[in-house]
Amino acid sequence: ALYDDGIEKARARLGAYHQNWVDGKGRDGEGTFEVRSPIDSEIVVGTFARGTRQDVRDAVAAARVAQPAWRHTPWRDRLAVLRKAADLISERQMEYAALMAIEVGKTRLEALGEVEESADLIRYYADVYEHNSGYDHPMDNLGDPTVHTRSVLRPFGVFAVISPFNFPMALAAGPSSAALMAGNTVVFKPATASAMSGVALAEAYRDAGFPAGVFNLVMGPGPTVGQELQEHPGIDGIVFTGSY
């Protein structure tokens, strides 16, 4: 019954237009692209802003500007925002799962499982981060009281996260949340065939309260958006379909 209610919420969203999200603001692209359901090609999941190389450049610039403040935000505060995002994903599990099932053709059970897995990955990484005290540990000093040593893991800077169509939320939420909680900022490109699932994740992050520029969404084809992410000198690391 809960899933059927989620289907009704998902159906009410079908066919809508969705912008990119750059520096905390919606942004149109150069035209749009359309996603239709593999279940029924008459179903238009939505139309989406087609991002350009310049949109990527602007998103990377915003992420670079936002990264120092985000890095110096106390790690417990960063985890609080991410845990709130996980709770929002769980609260919207039925709606997001129904959208995913319509968009990529997953069964009900698999779609429900993936949406909750996305929230669970965020919670798991947050728990590990907390258990490791933000990866800042004092080390032994061989008994010399004048020597103080620490082991500190520091963020890289700006990560590009490119997700696949077959696990469109889990393989976006996992790597993006890990990068974000470590103090990196993110430019996210979902697979064009599953842009709606990318929009859903971006919604949860936005509503959780990430500062402008910390998480950016640029949708569009690989030869432009993906290529610019690969070539841009302002990108410090790339996660693609779960691999770095």
Side-chain angles (χ1 to χ4, degrees), residues 20 28-31 33 49-53 55-56 218-221 224-225:
N20 295 308
D28 295 323
E30 190 174 86
F33 65 93
R50 184 186 295 273
T52 64
R53 282 181 175 263
D55 292 326
V56 174
V218 182
M219 301 175 286
T224 51
V225 174

Side-chain angles (χ1 to χ4, degrees), residues 102-177:
I102 295 167
E103 180 174 54
V104 299
K106 286 181 182 273
T107 64
R108 289 185 176 204
L109 185 60
E110 186 171 354
L112 285 165
E114 182 175 342
V115 173
E116 191 60 19
E117 180 188 16
S118 303
D120 286 345
L121 284 167
I122 298 172
R123 294 186 183 105
Y124 171 74
Y125 291 157
D127 289 348
V128 171
Y129 202 89
E130 187 169 48
H131 178 74
N132 283 276
S133 302
Y135 292 95
D136 184 345
H137 301 289
M139 298 175 68
D140 293 336
N141 60 13
L142 299 179
D144 185 344
T146 66
V147 175
H148 301 279
T149 58
R150 304 187 70 80
S151 169
V152 182
L153 295 186
R154 302 190 186 281
F156 278 83
V158 178
F159 264 86
V161 175
I162 303 173
S163 64
F165 77 94
N166 55 335
F167 290 97
M169 187 172 283
L171 289 184
S176 63
S177 65

Side-chain angles (χ1 to χ4, degrees), residues 197-219:
S197 294
V199 167
L201 177 64
E203 285 177 352
Y205 281 166
R206 178 198 66 202
D207 295 346
F210 280 104
V214 170
F215 179 85
N216 304 273
L217 167 71
V218 182
M219 301 175 286

Side-chain angles (χ1 to χ4, degrees), residues 10-11 14-15 34-46 101-103:
R11 284 177 175 160
L14 294 177
E34 186 179 81
V35 175
R36 290 180 176 264
S37 174
I39 298 169
D40 180 350
S41 63
E42 295 298 313
I43 298 173
V44 178
V45 178
I102 295 167
E103 180 174 54

Side-chain angles (χ1 to χ4, degrees), residues 80-90 119 122-123 204-205 208 210:
V81 178
L82 281 151
R83 283 171 167 152
K84 184 176 180 180
D87 290 343
L88 289 171
I89 291 169
S90 291
I122 298 172
R123 294 186 183 105
Y205 281 166
F210 280 104

Side-chain angles (χ1 to χ4, degrees), residues 83-100:
R83 283 171 167 152
K84 184 176 180 180
D87 290 343
L88 289 171
I89 291 169
S90 291
E91 289 171 13
R92 301 167 182 177
Q93 181 190 19
M94 302 299 164
E95 176 186 346
Y96 286 174
L99 284 169
M100 185 186 297

